[in-house]
Amino acid sequence: MAPIVAVKSSKGDPNIKSDAGFILYIITTFCAMGGFLFGYDFGVTSGVMSMPQFNEYFYPLTPAIKGALNSLMGCGAVFGCLMSGWLSDRFGRRDSIAAASVVFIVGGVLQGASHNIETQLVGRFISGISVGACSVLSPLYNAELAPKEIRGRLVGFQQLMIDIGLLVSGWMGYGTVAIPSEWSWRIPYLVQIIPAIILATAPIFLPPSPRWLMEKGRKDDALRVLARIHGKGNESHPYVVQEYNEINDNVELEHQVAVGGYWEMLKDRQNWRILWVGCSIAIFQQLTGANVIMYYAAFIFKQVGMEGSVSLLANGVDYAVMVIFCIPGMLLVDRIGRVRLMIYGSIGMCVGFILMAGIFGGVGHTVWDPESLSHVIDMSSNPAAEHAIIAIIFLFVMVYGTTWAPVAWIYIAEIFPLRIRSKGFALAAAILWVGNILVGQVTPLLMDSITWGTYLVYAGIGIIMLIWLILFAPEPKGLSLEEMEVLFHGPIIVTNLNYEEYLSAHHDEIERIRAEVAGAAGTINIDEKKEISTSTEFKD
């Protein structure tokens, strides 16, 4: 759901460890509130739109307006993603996160204080800008401060914070639905401002990113930040010196090989296939149909007999399942592999949608619901079928939370070569939000026009995705960036590709790419690195 920065292993002595203490966990937790904001804002509208008070206040709340309430957040997020790179380079990761939090506060106030649907829609768009920016900036900042040996855990931690945001939004809706006034929906919108205010204080409590400081030529400041986090203030700590030199190398290297802009990246034919694969995985994560469940779970629960607060209770349990099953995904991704896990997820979700369509279509009948101003499925004549739908929804969320939710972003972060790494990742993130817009806007219209046929539409898309994964998605597990680049120069269909044999046969090409990278890195001022190492060697 969210852009996550997955970092491959870097060079350096693996026996040199960081002495990062409690301060690192405080920084990581504090900054990961960006993921919490993402999850909360993503989920809050699902519960609010199912409240009678909200529907009455903004009557008539048509399917098109419901779709706009969800999709406009995605529209704003596209802008936020694309702006995040420029903001972080210009003002730094930390200060850009703070600025995005202020934008989120504005959006939250507009949503919570709105007196007409137009203000509500504007607030959703503005909040989306912040969500899109934070979805890139928060994990980027954390990855640049964390020791290399735990950077991979940040993938799961960021996704976990998103899921916790979803969970809190679900239970907040359940807790306020009994309030017999407009405050039943205003409170959930206004509560999200509290963590945004806390995150907006980031410049007071958090250090700047050492990588950004290095990019701006503030190398002494970068060294002090690294020492504070990893060396207990000791600038001569071996890990601090090693990390300083690695960051310095990487910054200079990227200056040598990275593309200057999006157009430069897009016009180079050698990037086309990897962009096609990365952006396809991004939009597929949305087209799995998971957001049909996440956005409209409370609406679906109502159709299977859960009225009033009971549907919001089930919605809260649904989000709790998402949080719990994020953990197995973190454990399985390196064991099973990224592509295989997404294949398993696609199969499970396709089966779920087909079963839902069969039960809704076979047992229920279509009726007009004056409250939601749309056609719905009436399942009241068969309680057993209603219970089956509820079970399928929970199983669906289990599968999605373990597979596509975290794994798609791990895959995208691992496949782009250094020259287009940041631009390719940002483009894929923006494409994901475009998919979010499509799903958010189209789904309520489909549910109104073809009711249970909506699930067959997403099942069909899931089958296409499954075939695409099997045919075209190379597995990045355990491979270096250079090996991945060579794979993308190889056969387009990778179903029966023997990775070991192929990489062995193209060993020379891999080494040539490594030599080019090393050659670019060779332009770095080695004497400067030696000076850092020797000047800090005799400090106590």
Side-chain angles (χ1 to χ4, degrees):
M1 282 167 50
I4 309 297
V5 175
V7 182
K8 285 182 176 286
S9 59
S10 57
K11 59 186 178 179
D13 186 347
N15 296 316
I16 298 178
K17 302 293 185 181
S18 166
D19 280 334
F22 191 62
I23 186 174
L24 178 64
Y25 295 97
I26 294 176
I27 290 171
T28 300
T29 303
F30 192 96
C31 191
M33 284 186 191
F36 178 89
L37 293 179
F38 176 10
Y40 189 98
D41 196 58
F42 188 89
V44 67
T45 303
S46 172
V48 163
M49 285 196 304
S50 69
M51 293 181 180
Q53 301 94 319
F54 186 80
N55 284 269
E56 291 169 6
Y57 193 91
F58 293 108
Y59 186 88
L61 205 61
T62 65
I65 294 176
K66 290 179 180 178
L69 282 170
N70 282 321
S71 63
L72 274 172
M73 189 195 79
C75 290
V78 171
F79 287 97
C81 283
L82 295 176
M83 290 168 55
S84 63
W86 177 82
L87 285 172
S88 66
D89 289 341
R90 178 71 175 82
F91 302 105
R93 286 61 156 147
R94 179 196 65 181
D95 293 353
S96 296
I97 290 170
S101 301
V102 173
V103 173
F104 190 92
I105 292 169
V106 173
V109 169
L110 288 174
Q111 292 172 79
S114 60
H115 290 281
N116 54 62
I117 197 63
E118 291 79 13
T119 306
Q120 185 74 216
L121 293 170
V122 171
R124 291 293 289 166
F125 179 81
I126 292 175
S127 292
I129 294 174
S130 174
V131 166
C134 284
S135 67
V136 175
L137 293 169
S138 294
L140 178 64
Y141 177 85
N142 279 336
E144 291 180 354
L145 264 72
K148 62 177 72 68
E149 60 267 20
I150 69 167
R151 283 173 189 159
R153 299 178 200 170
L154 293 177
V155 174
F157 185 68
Q158 182 74 8
Q159 182 65 47
L160 184 63
M161 288 299 290
I162 293 171
D163 294 344
I164 290 174
L166 285 166
L167 175 64
V168 173
S169 72
W171 287 99
M172 181 63 66
Y174 174 67
T176 62
V177 69
I179 299 174
S181 71
E182 63 198 55
W183 286 103
S184 61
W185 58 266
R186 291 193 189 277
I187 290 174
Y189 275 133
L190 292 173
V191 162
Q192 65 186 337
I193 298 172
I194 297 173
I197 292 173
I198 296 172
L199 193 57
T201 64
I204 300 175
F205 300 105
L206 302 184
S209 161
R211 182 184 180 88
W212 179 78
L213 292 170
M214 198 83 76
E215 289 173 350
K216 297 303 178 183
R218 297 167 57 184
K219 298 188 177 183
D220 291 341
D221 290 338
L223 185 61
R224 279 191 289 271
V225 170
L226 289 170
R228 176 187 171 193
I229 296 172
H230 300 294
K232 299 181 179 178
N234 181 10
E235 295 181 6
S236 66
H237 189 286
Y239 184 90
V240 172
V241 174
Q242 175 178 281
E243 189 73 2
Y244 176 95
N245 288 335
E246 286 188 16
I247 294 173
N248 191 45
D249 284 358
N250 289 333
V251 167
E252 296 293 339
L253 180 59
E254 289 189 15
H255 287 165
Q256 295 292 326
V257 303
V259 296
Y262 288 101
W263 176 243
E264 184 180 344
M265 174 180 69
L266 292 172
K267 70 180 182 180
D268 188 343
R269 295 176 64 91
Q270 69 173 329
N271 298 329
W272 288 1
R273 183 183 171 196
I274 195 167
L275 288 171
W276 171 57
V277 171
C279 292
S280 295
I281 292 292
I283 199 167
F284 282 163
Q285 197 223 32
Q286 297 297 300
L287 297 181
T288 56
N291 284 349
V292 176
I293 304 299
M294 306 311 293
Y295 272 148
Y296 302 107
F299 179 72
I300 298 172
F301 286 134
K302 274 190 174 183
Q303 294 186 62
V304 294
M306 292 185 168
E307 294 294 337
S309 63
V310 180
S311 68
L312 290 171
L313 173 63
N315 196 40
V317 174
D318 194 34
Y319 290 150
V321 170
M322 183 78 172
V323 172
I324 293 169
F325 279 85
C326 174
I327 298 171
M330 294 162 53
L331 300 175
L332 292 173
V333 65
D334 287 322
R335 183 173 301 178
I336 296 178
R338 288 79 166 124
V339 175
R340 185 176 295 180
L341 209 52
M342 288 189 287
I343 287 174
Y344 293 160
S346 296
I347 294 172
M349 288 186 284
C350 283
V351 171
F353 276 132
I354 292 170
L355 290 175
M356 287 176 68
I359 295 172
F360 271 124
V363 176
H365 60 277
T366 303
V367 298
W368 174 256
D369 179 21
E371 181 181 334
S372 64
L373 298 177
S374 64
H375 294 93
V376 299
I377 303 296
D378 183 0
M379 300 275 288
S380 58
S381 62
N382 196 321
E386 292 179 335
H387 297 157
I389 291 293
I390 295 169
I392 291 169
I393 290 175
F394 287 145
L395 289 170
F396 183 100
V397 173
M398 290 179 190
V399 172
Y400 176 70
T402 307
T403 59
W404 274 90
V407 176
W409 285 110
I410 297 173
Y411 186 93
I412 293 166
E414 289 182 333
I415 65 172
F416 291 111
L418 189 61
R419 67 178 184 278
I420 62 169
R421 192 165 182 78
S422 60
K423 296 291 189 300
F425 186 83
L427 179 63
I431 292 294
L432 175 135
W433 284 110
V434 170
N436 182 278
I437 295 167
L438 292 173
V439 172
Q441 185 63 51
V442 170
T443 297
L445 300 176
L446 289 175
M447 286 183 163
D448 178 41
S449 59
I450 60 175
T451 59
W452 57 268
T454 303
Y455 307 117
L456 288 181
V457 170
Y458 284 105
I461 294 173
I463 292 171
I464 294 172
M465 289 166 44
L466 176 62
I467 295 171
W468 188 94
L469 281 169
I470 294 171
L471 293 177
F472 303 121
E475 173 58 64
K477 176 189 171 186
L479 302 182
S480 67
L481 293 176
E482 295 83 8
E483 289 169 332
M484 282 303 300
E485 186 166 4
V486 168
L487 276 180
F488 278 107
H489 293 165
I492 294 178
I493 296 177
V494 297
T495 308
N496 297 316
L497 179 65
N498 186 313
Y499 287 78
E500 185 176 350
E501 289 183 3
Y502 181 84
L503 293 174
S504 177
H506 293 80
H507 175 76
D508 292 343
E509 186 178 355
I510 295 170
E511 292 303 317
R512 177 186 59 77
I513 295 173
R514 285 177 177 157
E516 290 176 356
V517 172
T523 61
I524 302 170
N525 188 341
I526 301 299
D527 292 335
E528 180 185 347
K529 292 196 301 179
K530 290 181 178 179
E531 180 182 345
I532 290 293
S533 181
T534 56
S535 66
T536 57
E537 183 177 355
F538 301 102
K539 290 184 181 180
D540 190 354

